[in-house]
Amino acid sequence: MDIEKRKWEIMFDETKLRERINELGEQIKFDYIDKNLLIISLLKGSFIFCADLVRCIDIKTLRVNFMTTSSYGDAEESSGKVKVQADITLSDISDYDVLIVDDIADTANTMVHVVNHISKKNPKSLKTCVLLDKPSRREVEFVPDYCGFEIEDKFVVGYGFDFQDRYRNVPYIFNVTEELK
Ligand code: PRP
Ligand code: MG
């Protein structure tokens, strides 16, 4: 399917994203100022959100690490089977207060899988942060500790969200609707 032949509209423009991510950053700073913050960003979807978020968290000693997970492939629907394609590169995280950052919680299979995976490494504490949350789509119970925006069940693209692994670099989030006739 060709995205150019579909209707789309901007859902969150650059200003709205910047303002909300700034608020999240300030909240996280407040909560983690006296802790040992390790951000784990889930690739690929969260790379843009996380890059902006960490620059809004005024804790210069925070660390960032990455994990690559995959559930969707090129499909628009989650397969439900989450794969850890690349794990974090820190072997001992027992001294760290971990914050897992992803772009979206949809079915939440990804977040629940990653939370279980990271919990086994015994971090000092473990919380989650998503830019978007689609609670109506849950297949497993999950409530993020930090959330940018709660949204309805809409197909979102841009700002890290892909359509067949493209359009991640669009600086705003848009919603793709039905195909044009
Ligand atoms: C997408 C998205 C989240 C996950 C959310 O990633 O980035 O990580 O799906 O869906 P869920 O709550 O239903 O598990 P995807 O696996 O498509 O890979 P990507 O991050 O490389 O786009
Ligand atoms: Mg992802």
Side-chain angles (χ1 to χ4, degrees):
M1 257 175 288
D2 186 355
I3 201 170
E4 312 291 346
K5 292 186 182 140
R6 293 187 180 195
K7 283 187 189 166
W8 59 276
E9 61 193 9
I10 293 183
M11 250 178 117
F12 301 105
D13 64 19
E14 290 169 79
T15 307
K16 200 149 188 196
L17 289 169
R18 194 168 41 241
E19 282 171 1
R20 183 67 187 123
I21 291 166
N22 215 24
E23 286 174 1
L24 284 176
E26 281 173 12
Q27 181 67 51
I28 292 167
K29 180 204 173 175
F30 182 83
D31 295 347
Y32 284 88
I33 189 68
D34 54 354
K35 294 191 162 70
N36 193 15
L37 178 57
L38 168 65
I39 302 253
I40 297 178
S41 164
L42 305 190
L43 299 176
K44 295 184 252 179
S46 78
F47 81 113
I48 289 182
F49 169 48
C50 193
D52 283 345
L53 180 67
V54 291
R55 283 177 288 180
C56 293
I57 303 171
D58 188 15
I59 300 176
K60 304 218 170 23
T61 53
L62 72 77
R63 294 186 71 172
V64 183
N65 215 286
F66 299 93
M67 248 176 99
T68 304
T69 56
S70 177
S71 70
Y72 280 61
D74 276 348
E76 289 178 26
E77 292 273 311
S78 169
S79 65
K81 287 190 201 103
V82 180
K83 284 188 212 127
V84 175
Q85 294 183 323
D87 203 350
I88 55 169
T89 54
L90 280 172
S91 51
D92 183 4
I93 59 167
S94 56
D95 283 341
Y96 290 95
D97 295 289
V98 172
L99 181 62
I100 300 168
V101 173
D102 206 1
D103 54 352
I104 190 166
D106 190 322
T107 66
N109 285 313
T110 300
M111 266 302 198
V112 168
H113 188 88
V114 172
V115 165
N116 289 337
H117 177 86
I118 295 295
S119 297
K120 289 184 194 140
K121 299 176 191 277
N122 296 314
K124 211 190 265 173
S125 69
L126 181 54
K127 285 191 174 181
T128 57
C129 174
V130 292
L131 177 58
L132 303 184
D133 190 15
K134 268 190 199 175
S136 65
R137 294 254 313 151
R138 285 296 189 278
E139 289 177 7
V140 283
E141 212 174 295
F142 173 74
V143 179
D145 296 293
Y146 302 92
C147 168
F149 304 98
E150 209 174 279
I151 62 164
E152 291 167 22
D153 184 14
K154 291 187 171 172
F155 185 58
V156 288
V157 184
Y159 199 75
F161 295 98
D162 71 305
F163 179 82
Q164 295 175 351
D165 204 35
R166 296 176 196 271
Y167 303 93
R168 293 190 199 267
N169 58 324
V170 174
Y172 48 85
I173 296 176
F174 61 104
N175 164 226
V176 183
T177 55
E178 79 269 32
E179 266 182 272
L180 292 175
K181 297 286 173 236

